[in-house]
Amino acid sequence: MRDIYHEELDGLSDRLVEMTRLVRQAMTQAVTALLDADLRLSEEVIGGDDRVNKIDAEIEETVFDLMARQQPVAGDLRTLITTLRMSGDLERMGDLAVHIAKTARRRHPESAVPPELTVTVLEMGQIAERMVAKAGSVIASRNVEMGLELDADDDAMDRLHRRLFDVLLSPKWTHGVEPAVDITLAGRYFERFADHAVHVAENMVYLITGQRPAEINDLSD
Amino acid sequence: MRDIYHEELDGLSDRLVEMTRLVRQAMTQAVTALLDADLRLSEEVIGGDDRVNKIDAEIEETVFDLMARQQPVAGDLRTLITTLRMSGDLERMGDLAVHIAKTARRRHPESAVPPELTVTVLEMGQIAERMVAKAGSVIASRNVEMGLELDADDDAMDRLHRRLFDVLLSPKWTHGVEPAVDITLAGRYFERFADHAVHVAENMVYLITGQRPAEINDLSD
């Protein structure tokens, strides 16, 4: 009985990794759609989010089912609850990729990103992808070291986010209000995506080590 | 033993209601700070969020402790997990009130809200307050009927949010990019606040009735 139970726990972990893979792909496509004003690609991201939502719902069902049937002890309970949380964060990251894709769609056939911000948005997208990929590795291979890198990635995202506002609010900004609104929202979506990736990694590191990444990083300073 | 356990469950419910009260107050003050460019009030909201975070952390600790000690059965487990989720939503709502207060502080001594948007922002604030108050009532008195009202409130919030963009993107907008950025972000914060209030009510209605509000509302059409 316990063996099937632990197989089911492993299965949950595989589903979470699958979610990180889908969310990463959605983010890659959403950023390309945003920069290239690619309508087909933005529709693909928007339509594809169902798969992420479905896995989230399945994970929730499995967790409640395991809890009801197995009366798990404290450690396994924590794993199950953390799984629910990570699934919720990843589901939300899928939504944020959709929001970016919708920004692209709304402005099509124009690009929502003025030329002087192309590189900044590209970098934000790359960091977002890297963060969700790392979160996936922390879940798949319990790679704590990689989990500890997410805070630095989040700082890099914050710096790019500030650069976005510097450009928007500079007297040299000539694109008016509408692109400013789009960029403001897109920047917020990237920032929240990164926050959720940090949560996933934090939860996983805590599950493995019993410590929060900030505590571990403090010790290694 | 079971009696103390159920007393502890009731205690958790009281803490959640206390969170709704604090978050509601934070939202009221944040909106006043935003409209009146009141620096003292925005600092109060920003500083006061610690209390909400502290209750969230205490609820989490109590839930894990109860789970470890009591091996709760399926129904109680669901209550405990739902409590964690509602606490997480309310904690996030506190953060969003803080974001609105920070918008006010950033633009002080000017107001971040141009005169033609004062009424819209005021209404968004009133709906946000009403929603968190209703969420509190659903938790405190298991008032399902009130929980079912949140979807309509959320629709009203979405309408106001669209009105915000209509004004921002109208050719009559004369305030330039910076206020547009502030209003775009504030609008997003209100909208997310409302989404989290809906989640809290949904979770609570599901706990009481075993059905999602959408299912119940469909039946009564």
Side-chain angles (χ1 to χ4, degrees), chain B residues 16 56 70 98 114 124 126 147-148 150 161 196 202 205 219:
Chain B
L16 286 172
D56 177 46
Q70 303 281 354
V98 165
M124 290 177 97
Q126 283 167 346
L148 299 179
L150 276 271
H161 196 203
H196 286 288
E202 263 181 6
V205 167
L219 290 176

Side-chain angles (χ1 to χ4, degrees), chain A residues 60 63-64 67-68 71-74 77-78 81 84-85 92 96 99 165 168-169 173 176-178 180-181 184-185 188-189 192 212, chain B residues 60 63-64 67-68 71-74 77-78 81 84-85 92 96 99 165 168-169 173 176-178 180-181 184-185 188-189 192 212:
Chain A
E60 177 170 331
V63 165
F64 278 109
M67 284 181 171
Q71 295 279 310
V73 293
L77 252 181
R78 196 171 277 272
I81 290 170
L84 279 184
R85 287 188 169 168
R92 189 76 204 128
L96 290 162
H99 286 329
F165 282 116
L168 279 186
L169 300 175
W173 180 261
V177 170
E178 191 166 359
V181 166
T184 299
L185 289 173
R188 177 85 190 147
Y189 302 146
R192 292 299 299 153
R212 298 276 160 206
Chain B
E60 178 170 329
V63 165
F64 279 108
M67 284 181 170
Q71 295 279 309
V73 293
L77 252 181
R78 197 171 277 273
I81 289 171
L84 279 183
R85 288 189 169 168
R92 188 76 206 130
L96 290 162
H99 287 329
F165 282 115
L168 278 186
L169 300 175
W173 180 261
V177 170
E178 191 165 0
V181 167
T184 299
L185 288 173
R188 178 84 190 148
Y189 302 145
R192 291 300 299 153
R212 299 276 161 205

Side-chain angles (χ1 to χ4, degrees), chain B residues 11-207:
Chain B
L12 283 174
S13 169
D14 293 345
R15 304 312 307 272
L16 286 172
V17 174
E18 172 71 3
M19 282 179 96
T20 65
R21 207 187 55 73
L22 290 171
V23 166
R24 181 187 182 177
Q25 189 189 334
M27 182 46 101
T28 310
Q29 293 182 325
V31 172
T32 306
L34 190 69
L35 291 171
D36 299 351
D38 186 327
L39 187 62
R40 191 194 55 75
L41 211 50
S42 49
E43 298 284 6
E44 207 169 300
V45 175
I46 296 162
D49 191 44
D50 265 357
R51 288 169 68 193
V52 177
N53 296 342
K54 195 160 163 274
I55 301 179
D56 177 46
E58 286 166 3
I59 286 176
E60 178 170 329
E61 202 181 319
T62 306
V63 165
F64 279 108
D65 183 53
L66 280 173
M67 284 181 170
R69 282 191 295 118
Q70 303 281 354
Q71 295 279 309
V73 293
D76 288 341
L77 252 181
R78 197 171 277 273
T79 302
L80 289 172
I81 289 171
T82 305
T83 300
L84 279 183
R85 288 189 169 168
M86 292 191 290
S87 181
D89 277 312
L90 288 164
E91 189 272 330
R92 188 76 206 130
M93 288 162 80
D95 290 345
L96 290 162
V98 165
H99 287 329
I100 291 173
K102 283 186 176 169
T103 306
R105 185 172 70 176
R106 195 168 53 239
R107 295 277 293 178
H108 177 83
E110 286 175 76
S111 167
V113 183
E116 66 265 46
L117 281 173
T118 303
V119 173
T120 307
V121 168
L122 194 64
E123 284 181 42
M124 290 177 97
Q126 283 167 346
I127 294 180
E129 287 169 47
R130 196 196 307 154
M131 289 177 85
V132 66
K134 284 182 186 176
S137 291
V138 185
I139 300 169
S141 56
R142 302 174 76 85
N143 184 338
V144 170
E145 209 159 318
M146 198 167 270
L148 299 179
E149 293 174 17
L150 276 271
D151 269 347
D153 292 326
D154 194 38
D155 290 342
M157 185 67 102
D158 287 343
R159 279 195 297 277
L160 290 167
H161 196 203
R162 278 195 294 276
R163 196 197 293 169
L164 219 57
F165 282 115
D166 287 345
V167 173
L168 278 186
L169 300 175
S170 127
K172 288 187 213 150
W173 180 261
T174 57
H175 307 283
V177 170
E178 191 165 0
V181 167
D182 284 341
I183 291 290
T184 299
L185 288 173
R188 178 84 190 148
Y189 302 145
F190 281 118
E191 192 204 12
R192 291 300 299 153
F193 187 96
D195 288 344
H196 286 288
V198 168
H199 287 169
V200 171
E202 263 181 6
N203 270 305
M204 201 59 214
V205 167
Y206 187 68
L207 208 54

Side-chain angles (χ1 to χ4, degrees), chain A residues 3-216:
Chain A
D3 275 1
I4 293 171
Y5 173 50
H6 281 99
E7 265 172 41
E8 289 193 71
L9 278 186
D10 287 346
L12 284 173
S13 170
D14 292 345
R15 304 313 307 270
L16 287 173
V17 174
E18 171 72 3
M19 282 179 96
T20 65
R21 206 187 56 72
L22 290 171
V23 167
R24 180 186 183 180
Q25 189 189 334
M27 182 46 100
T28 310
Q29 293 181 325
V31 173
T32 305
L34 190 69
L35 291 171
D36 298 353
D38 186 328
L39 186 62
R40 191 194 54 76
L41 211 49
S42 49
E43 299 285 6
E44 207 170 300
V45 175
I46 296 161
D49 192 44
D50 265 358
R51 288 169 67 194
V52 177
N53 296 341
K54 198 161 161 273
I55 301 179
D56 177 46
E58 287 166 3
I59 286 176
E60 177 170 331
E61 204 181 317
T62 306
V63 165
F64 278 109
D65 183 53
L66 280 173
M67 284 181 171
R69 282 192 294 117
Q70 302 282 356
Q71 295 279 310
V73 293
D76 288 341
L77 252 181
R78 196 171 277 272
T79 302
L80 289 172
I81 290 170
T82 304
T83 299
L84 279 184
R85 287 188 169 168
M86 292 191 289
S87 181
D89 277 312
L90 288 164
E91 190 272 330
R92 189 76 204 128
M93 289 162 79
D95 290 346
L96 290 162
V98 166
H99 286 329
I100 291 173
K102 283 186 176 170
T103 306
R105 185 173 70 175
R106 195 167 55 239
R107 294 278 292 178
H108 177 83
E110 285 175 75
S111 167
V113 183
E116 65 265 45
L117 282 174
T118 304
V119 173
T120 306
V121 168
L122 195 64
E123 285 180 41
M124 291 177 96
Q126 284 167 346
I127 293 180
E129 287 170 46
R130 197 197 306 155
M131 290 177 85
V132 67
K134 284 183 186 176
S137 292
V138 186
I139 299 169
S141 56
R142 302 174 77 86
N143 184 338
V144 171
E145 209 159 316
M146 197 167 269
L148 299 179
E149 292 174 18
L150 276 271
D151 270 347
D153 292 327
D154 195 38
D155 290 344
M157 185 67 102
D158 286 344
R159 278 194 298 276
L160 290 167
H161 196 202
R162 277 195 295 275
R163 196 197 292 169
L164 219 57
F165 282 116
D166 288 345
V167 173
L168 279 186
L169 300 175
S170 128
K172 288 186 213 149
W173 180 261
T174 56
H175 308 282
V177 170
E178 191 166 359
V181 166
D182 284 341
I183 291 291
T184 299
L185 289 173
R188 177 85 190 147
Y189 302 146
F190 281 117
E191 192 204 12
R192 292 299 299 153
F193 188 97
D195 289 343
H196 285 288
V198 168
H199 287 169
V200 171
E202 263 181 6
N203 269 305
M204 202 59 214
V205 167
Y206 187 68
L207 209 53
I208 301 167
T209 66
Q211 287 187 297
R212 298 276 160 206
E215 295 166 345
I216 301 173

